[in-house]
Amino acid sequence: MSVFDTPKVHFAGTAVTRLPTGPRSGQLDLATNRPVDTSDGGRNPGGNGHFWVDAKVVGCELRAGEVDTTEPLVGRSLDLWGHYCAHLGSTANRARVFDVDPASNWTTTVMLGQLALGRLGRSHEVGYLVTGYVTGMCPPRWQNWSHIVEVCRQPLASWFRHSVVHQFALEHPHWLDGAEYSPALTALRSLLAEGEADGLVVQFALTNMATPAGNDQPDRWDLRGTLAPWHASELRTYPAGRLLYPPAGGPLHNLTVRVDPSWVGFNLVTALPVTGRAPRGVPGGTHRLGPLVDHGDLWLRAESGEPLARVPRELYLGPAYRLGSGVLTVPRLNGDSGQPLVVTAGESDEPLLVERQTVVQTDEAALFLEHPDATSGRHFPVRVPVRSYVRGEPAAVPRIRVRQFVNPRGLPRDPVAASPSARAADLRVAAFRAGEQSSYLSEVRLATDRHGTGVLDLRGVRGGSARVLLLPDGDPPPVDETEPGSATVGYDNDDSLGYWSSVGSLAVRVLPDHWHLDALADEEITFELLYREVFEPYERLYSFMRDEVFSLAEECKVEPYARLTWHACDPGNRDKTFYMPPTRDLTAPQTRLLRRYMFAVEATRQGPVSPLAAPTQVAAVTTRENLLDALRHAAAIELAGMTQYLYAAYSIPTHTAATRLVTLGEWTPAQLRLACGDGPDSLRGGMRGSLLAVAKEEMIHFLVVNNIIMAMGEPFHLPEVDFGTFNANTRVPLEFALERFGLGSVQRFIDLERPHTGLAQGDGYGSLSELYAAIRDGLHRVPDALLVDRGAGGGQHHLFMRESVNAVHPDYQLEVDDLASALFAIDFVTEHGEGGVLGDSVEESHYATFQRLHRELATQAPWSPSYPVPRNPTLGTGTLAKEPLTYEPARQVATVFNRTYATSMQLMVQHFAGWPDDNPRRARLMNWALDLMVGVLRPTAELLVTVPSGRPGYTAGPTFELDRIPEYLPRPAAAATRIARELDDIAALADKCDNLSHTVAALLRHTADDLRANPPG
């Protein structure tokens, strides 16, 4: 039964939460989700909702009560990651922490996406042994506001004393190589394989919150927990066993027990108070704790007084408590376990804890409900499964009273709720239905069957939040609901009653009424309306978006990312950690408004086309110079490959433009889906989407190769890629070209990505595959080539990564700081290109992708999905290999593209030359470069392919030409000024380009202003 069963894995470490405090002031009106006052943002207004842990296994328990600290698993890391985001292709995904009710102290919920256990160092060095995806939320359990007795006096003292328990279950763990060397993991795997357990359960407690280092700094907590077998008869998110609680406060807190014929297990994870803690925390950690309060021996007794078990004071005051994460096992005595249980301490017979014989709970204890739609009469009910246990076992409970206690603090504009005399009976935000009832009522009675299962239907009545109490008949409510002042007293935000921590309840928030947004006509949907109706409350209350990503008030930043924003806010992703906003309180009409705005933006991205009428061995890489030369050559090929794939992708119409071709009868609906996928609200992007996905991964390959180059002590390498001369200078017998998407270009792509076993003669390579094989071999042959210190190897980039990588290496972020990480980086690149390098994967390699595209395109011949763009367009005079653009409007747009391309590369050079170890996801230079790629390069390229080139029958295309190779500008302030002036000049050119979105010039000027206001350095 849960943490009482063996084998068990105990872990400990630190947890970090970045919970935003702006809405916690009590000045957010939950009825409208609008702030009454934003002057008090709390200590962490910039919190982004991230949650992560730094934890290691401290002991394993194969036999109850015997914790083995020599097990091979001890010392290995346990990580709690977020969900993989397919749209971004992300690794190192953060889990989330959020308040269901930001006006409450009781609803802080953790959401996880992936458990990963067993790495030693980084996973590409000594890998994880078991991983698995996590579903659902982890509501707060057993909250205790006096876990630490003595803390320093300050406004956060109650949080310093606070402890909370979270729990989740994992039904389908993924066992990886090496798990068999751990006896504990082997035993767990065997239990699941034999059907003796239904999964794994992980219980963890957060305690001892450190004094914040300053405003907008993460909160750090002590973490301890246990991984053990899980059974489907147990709750996923609530500790199993017989629950004992303090009936009127007292020194001990909630615990559960399991009484077996020969032993008794105690889940004391937060039950025993701590005497105090050091006044100052450890830098980057928490405070040193004093000992547990000494209560003498603890006794588990039957209600009649007969002892069932004794926990000696030496056991819980000694190392066993720490090593077992508060889960202890002792021999059973002869008392009657059929009676209600109590816990006493020392020589006293006075119960400190008594058994709550009937426990009613639900795993769905963190709910968001839509507001009813008065116009249509829809109410959007949610069905919640309820479980009941009598003395720790599933059992029927015939009468469970369901009632709600609204949080008055969440309704500051409601005169009834805001009144000090407000009665709990007068406030309602939800209605319920149970059993055979046909109507929804503000209070109902629920019954569970003999298996302890039942269901409760809930629906919203008005915007606001409440605790929904699940109260077995005979148990008292917290207050008389009819008494004046009972609303505030009964909700008990500060735990004055000591009531709510052990009773069955769920947190409910009913979202505001935004149904009027569905009635808006398409032409009424503007950015200004979107900001006012969707973004403004978040912009005012949460600063992390504008501080770490971009301001939601800036149209020039929002419009280029409209598609990404929609996918992040897609209601289908609400159960994923990457869902936005992290507060999870966006209403259905708001998400539909965002979707309609996204489609409106997509519709303007591209207008109609208007063209005028026997193998030998390669010489081994044996020197540092050989290795650098090969790496720089690889970087050039990756950059050339990325640009040719982008060019082919841009030659295919956008989904909206292609839809018009279907309307005109030029394409069939099937061809639209084949070429462009299912539309911007879908991750299925068709041929165009496949090309863009490969291009993004080529960009990552370019950065990976450069990480190796920089780890050798060399500068970031930006090669010259001139498609008029590139093929003559490359050392692989392959052809690179900017060419429209078609059977010929796809065949070139297949040849480039083809796995190759034969090797070319001379000093060249037979394929890209051979080049990387030579580099890999060279890294072994030149072991002292890498000069960077461990931990200073760049990386920290986690976008456009594959789910297969995330499944096994969720911590991987492209870092290179030793031979193992460099070899893994090469394998990572080769896996994308040809597959089969990092193990079995269901995801397509680039080679397989292009083979599929060739087959799909061949079945449609002679139909072509691409615009008639030229081969290797240029703004120069043209050569036999390059075709000039002569139509002046096209030249203007292409100039905007090229100068922006050069500026984005300059920003990357500045970042990697000046701050190579900084996190690229947080570095302003890299974020500015990414903004220019998405907000300027993409729209100008999509416009170019519809503009005449000057040659009859052809349209233009982006040329990807650089007037010069950007070099590092050593004075940061002067460099920022120079780059800002260049962006101003490009913006002026963009203003003159017909049909180019106004947000292009706006973004260029915004970035220039940002550079001047916030120069790096």
Side-chain angles (χ1 to χ4, degrees):
M1 179 189 291
S2 191
V3 297
F4 301 116
D5 276 346
T6 56
K8 291 180 273 198
V9 177
H10 304 294
F11 57 90
T14 304
V16 181
T17 59
R18 290 201 62 195
L19 191 71
T21 56
R24 287 188 151 197
S25 64
Q27 295 300 306
L28 176 64
D29 179 33
L30 299 186
T32 60
N33 208 27
R34 295 277 174 175
V36 176
D37 180 10
T38 58
S39 59
D40 180 12
R43 71 181 189 281
N44 195 6
N48 57 13
H50 285 183
F51 172 87
W52 68 95
V53 304
D54 180 8
K56 289 182 169 56
V57 175
V58 296
C60 296
E61 206 170 333
L62 286 172
R63 287 178 292 277
E66 299 178 17
V67 179
D68 183 0
T69 59
T70 65
E71 217 267 13
L73 198 58
V74 172
R76 296 207 177 204
S77 292
L78 180 142
D79 295 324
L80 301 176
W81 297 106
H83 289 104
Y84 177 78
C85 176
H87 188 78
L88 291 175
S90 54
T91 55
N93 302 292
R94 291 298 191 201
R96 289 294 190 270
V97 59
F98 59 92
D99 290 321
V100 176
D101 175 3
S104 173
N105 290 333
W106 290 90
T107 69
T108 304
T109 298
V110 171
M111 191 174 193
L112 309 171
Q114 187 179 18
L115 166 75
L117 170 64
R119 68 177 171 88
L120 195 61
R122 296 167 297 191
S123 69
H124 62 269
E125 297 168 332
V126 179
Y128 289 111
L129 303 178
V130 59
T131 63
Y133 292 118
V134 181
T135 59
M137 300 179 185
C138 303
R141 307 296 192 180
W142 291 2
Q143 297 200 69
N144 181 3
W145 300 93
S146 55
H147 179 67
I148 300 177
V149 178
E150 294 292 336
V151 299
C152 61
R153 294 183 179 180
Q154 65 138 289
L156 294 176
S158 63
W159 289 100
F160 298 159
R161 288 191 289 266
H162 181 247
S163 67
V164 64
V165 176
H166 297 279
Q167 182 175 297
F168 65 90
L170 184 71
E171 291 189 60
H172 304 291
H174 180 201
W175 304 98
L176 303 174
D177 291 344
E180 65 274 13
Y181 298 114
S182 163
L185 293 185
T186 299
L188 283 167
R189 187 175 188 176
S190 177
L191 280 178
L192 269 65
E194 295 169 6
E196 296 182 24
D198 299 303
L200 305 177
V201 67
V202 177
Q203 171 188 280
F204 61 94
L206 306 183
T207 65
N208 191 28
M209 177 185 139
T211 303
N215 287 335
D216 274 337
Q217 294 298 307
D219 293 326
R220 299 183 183 276
W221 306 75
D222 284 347
L223 169 80
R224 61 174 174 268
T226 299
L227 180 150
W230 176 77
H231 304 277
S233 60
E234 302 163 0
L235 286 158
R236 305 171 68 93
T237 66
Y238 195 89
R242 299 176 69 168
L243 173 64
L244 290 96
Y245 72 101
L252 302 186
H253 199 59
N254 298 348
L255 62 85
T256 53
V257 299
R258 175 179 173 180
V259 181
D260 261 28
S262 59
W263 56 267
V264 176
F266 287 78
N267 184 359
L268 303 165
V269 62
T270 57
L272 305 179
V274 179
T275 53
R277 69 180 196 169
R280 295 184 181 277
V282 177
T286 60
H287 298 243
R288 182 178 56 81
L289 289 174
L292 297 177
V293 174
D294 185 352
H295 295 284
D297 294 348
L298 299 178
W299 293 88
L300 180 69
R301 300 178 183 275
E303 191 176 45
S304 62
E306 297 175 273
L308 279 85
R310 179 178 69 93
V311 180
R313 59 182 294 278
E314 295 82 7
L315 186 64
Y316 69 81
L317 293 176
Y321 179 85
R322 175 180 57 84
L323 293 175
S325 296
V327 181
L328 300 178
T329 304
V330 297
R332 179 178 171 175
L333 304 178
N334 294 323
D336 181 8
S337 63
Q339 298 181 37
L341 304 179
V342 299
V343 168
T344 64
E347 301 299 323
S348 173
D349 293 330
E350 185 69 25
L352 299 180
L353 301 174
V354 299
E355 183 173 10
R356 189 172 292 283
Q357 297 185 65
T358 302
V359 172
V360 182
Q361 290 285 358
T362 176
D363 285 323
E364 306 298 325
L367 285 183
F368 292 87
L369 301 178
E370 288 291 343
H371 196 285
D373 180 4
T375 302
S376 67
R378 293 177 298 168
H379 290 277
F380 314 101
V382 171
R383 173 158 289 186
V384 170
V386 175
R387 303 291 295 272
S388 62
Y389 300 83
V390 176
R391 298 180 185 172
E393 298 296 331
V397 179
R399 294 170 66 84
I400 303 166
R401 300 169 67 191
V402 180
R403 54 174 63 183
Q404 61 191 296
F405 289 82
V406 172
N407 185 3
R409 197 165 177 265
L411 299 171
R413 286 195 173 106
D414 185 320
V416 175
S419 170
S421 61
R423 302 184 308 164
D426 295 335
L427 302 178
R428 296 288 183 266
V429 298
F432 316 107
R433 184 178 66 183
E436 302 300 320
Q437 290 177 216
S438 59
S439 57
Y440 283 81
L441 303 172
S442 59
E443 180 179 331
V444 299
R445 295 185 184 274
L446 169 71
T448 56
D449 62 20
R450 62 186 179 87
H451 303 292
T453 61
V455 294
L456 175 68
D457 295 324
L458 302 88
R459 71 186 191 190
V461 173
R462 56 161 296 184
S465 60
R467 286 172 163 174
V468 176
L469 179 62
L470 305 174
L471 193 66
D473 259 7
D475 288 359
V479 292
D480 181 346
E481 297 173 82
T482 64
E483 286 292 319
S486 60
T488 297
V489 174
Y491 189 86
D492 196 17
N493 195 50
D494 296 322
D495 198 29
S496 300
L497 303 176
Y499 176 85
W500 286 95
S501 185
S502 67
V503 298
S505 67
L506 56 152
V508 172
R509 180 170 174 191
V510 180
L511 301 177
D513 184 357
H514 289 144
W515 293 102
H516 64 283
L517 298 177
D518 279 353
L520 294 171
D522 288 345
E523 57 271 17
E524 296 179 83
I525 299 175
T526 63
F527 175 77
E528 290 74 18
L529 181 136
L530 179 74
Y531 177 75
R532 183 176 67 251
E533 296 290 349
V534 179
F535 294 149
E536 184 179 16
Y538 302 102
E539 183 75 7
R540 293 178 63 189
L541 279 170
Y542 308 94
S543 62
F544 81 89
M545 274 295 294
R546 64 176 177 269
D547 291 345
E548 300 183 18
V549 190
F550 58 79
S551 169
L552 295 170
E554 298 289 348
E555 181 182 9
C556 65
K557 300 296 285 288
V558 172
E559 182 179 299
Y561 294 102
R563 187 171 184 176
L564 172 61
T565 305
W566 155 252
H567 281 285
C569 300
D570 183 348
N573 293 326
R574 192 185 285 269
D575 61 348
K576 299 294 190 295
T577 52
F578 57 79
Y579 175 80
M580 294 293 282
T583 50
R584 324 195 92 71
D585 52 3
L586 209 62
T587 66
Q590 286 178 308
T591 58
R592 280 192 287 272
L593 179 67
L594 184 59
R595 184 174 184 270
R596 292 169 71 189
Y597 172 78
M598 183 266 296
F599 270 106
V601 169
E602 289 289 318
T604 63
R605 279 177 58 185
Q606 200 168 64
V609 179
S610 54
L612 302 176
T616 57
Q617 293 296 317
V618 173
V621 173
T622 58
T623 68
R624 175 184 173 84
E625 290 70 25
N626 294 156
L627 183 58
L628 268 175
D629 181 66
L631 285 164
R632 288 168 176 158
H633 202 67
I637 289 176
E638 296 295 353
L639 188 59
M642 179 197 75
T643 51
Q644 71 171 3
Y645 296 153
L646 283 174
Y647 190 86
Y650 287 138
S651 76
I652 302 174
T654 64
H655 188 275
T656 305
T659 301
R660 288 193 285 267
L661 297 177
V662 175
T663 303
L664 294 172
E666 298 180 25
W667 283 20
T668 66
Q671 289 169 338
L672 167 65
R673 192 171 193 274
L674 182 64
C676 303
D678 295 336
D681 58 342
S682 168
L683 294 179
R684 292 183 293 274
M687 294 172 168
R688 192 177 197 272
S690 294
L691 288 165
L692 289 173
V694 172
K696 290 174 184 176
E697 291 185 340
E698 295 295 327
M699 183 64 177
I700 297 303
H701 298 174
F702 174 67
L703 294 179
V704 167
V705 172
N706 260 298
N707 279 347
I708 302 176
I709 292 172
M710 291 187 289
M712 294 177 67
E714 298 293 326
F716 181 82
H717 180 60
L718 183 62
E720 181 178 3
V721 178
D722 181 344
F723 284 98
T725 60
F726 189 82
N727 294 324
N729 298 323
T730 188
R731 291 166 58 191
V732 293
L734 300 168
E735 184 182 9
F736 293 80
L738 300 179
E739 187 177 24
R740 65 190 286 188
F741 180 71
L743 287 173
S745 59
V746 176
Q747 186 59 58
R748 284 194 301 104
F749 302 161
I750 291 173
D751 292 340
L752 175 61
E753 304 287 358
R754 187 189 306 276
H756 209 281
T757 55
L759 301 177
Q761 299 198 26
D763 62 352
Y765 302 92
S767 67
L768 182 58
S769 174
E770 287 179 14
L771 173 59
Y772 277 117
I775 291 172
R776 198 180 198 286
D777 181 63
L779 287 166
H780 279 290
R781 291 174 180 267
V782 192
D784 59 346
L786 302 173
L787 307 178
V788 70
D789 292 334
R790 183 173 174 85
Q796 299 190 64
H797 184 103
H798 68 174
L799 301 183
F800 312 136
M801 311 280 263
R802 296 191 166 196
E803 187 170 9
S804 58
V805 173
N806 184 69
V808 181
H809 304 286
D811 60 331
Y812 185 57
Q813 300 185 70
L814 308 186
E815 64 273 18
V816 176
D817 58 7
D818 58 14
L819 178 60
S821 57
L823 295 173
F824 187 86
I826 295 299
D827 291 344
F828 169 81
V829 172
T830 311
E831 168 71 22
H832 283 180
E834 58 190 72
V837 179
L838 295 179
D840 296 334
S841 172
V842 298
E843 295 162 313
E844 284 185 325
S845 65
H846 295 178
Y847 177 65
T849 295
F850 293 134
Q851 284 186 312
R852 171 177 58 80
L853 294 182
H854 194 278
R855 290 193 301 270
E856 293 172 346
L857 195 56
T859 63
Q860 298 291 322
W863 171 75
S864 171
S866 59
Y867 291 124
V869 296
R871 195 174 195 267
N872 294 335
T874 180
L875 288 177
T877 56
T879 66
L880 292 176
K882 300 169 74 173
E883 181 171 327
L885 302 180
T886 58
Y887 186 54
E888 188 57 32
R891 293 179 62 82
Q892 290 177 349
V893 179
T895 300
V896 171
F897 182 95
N898 285 349
R899 290 179 66 174
T900 304
Y901 178 55
T903 304
S904 65
M905 292 296 143
Q906 181 72 65
L907 290 166
M908 290 177 63
V909 169
Q910 293 298 114
H911 168 78
F912 286 110
W915 299 271
D917 295 330
D918 283 4
N919 186 336
R921 295 177 285 120
R922 297 286 181 264
R924 291 196 299 271
L925 288 164
M926 289 297 287
N927 283 335
W928 287 324
L930 184 60
D931 286 345
L932 294 178
M933 292 175 189
V934 175
V936 180
L937 296 185
R938 185 186 68 183
T940 51
E942 291 175 345
L943 175 61
L944 266 173
V945 297
T946 68
V947 177
S949 70
R951 178 182 176 188
Y954 283 79
T955 60
T959 71
F960 291 96
E961 292 174 300
L962 300 174
D963 290 340
R964 61 173 181 83
I965 299 299
E967 296 178 350
Y968 177 60
L969 306 175
R971 295 185 179 274
T977 300
R978 175 175 169 177
I979 296 170
R981 288 179 179 176
E982 173 67 2
L983 291 170
D984 286 335
D985 291 344
I986 302 172
L989 291 176
D991 286 332
K992 300 175 183 178
C993 296
D994 294 337
N995 300 318
L996 189 59
S997 170
H998 71 280
T999 61
V1000 170
L1003 177 59
L1004 289 162
R1005 291 191 175 93
H1006 181 279
T1007 307
D1009 292 341
D1010 210 0
L1011 263 163
R1012 278 185 282 262
N1014 303 288

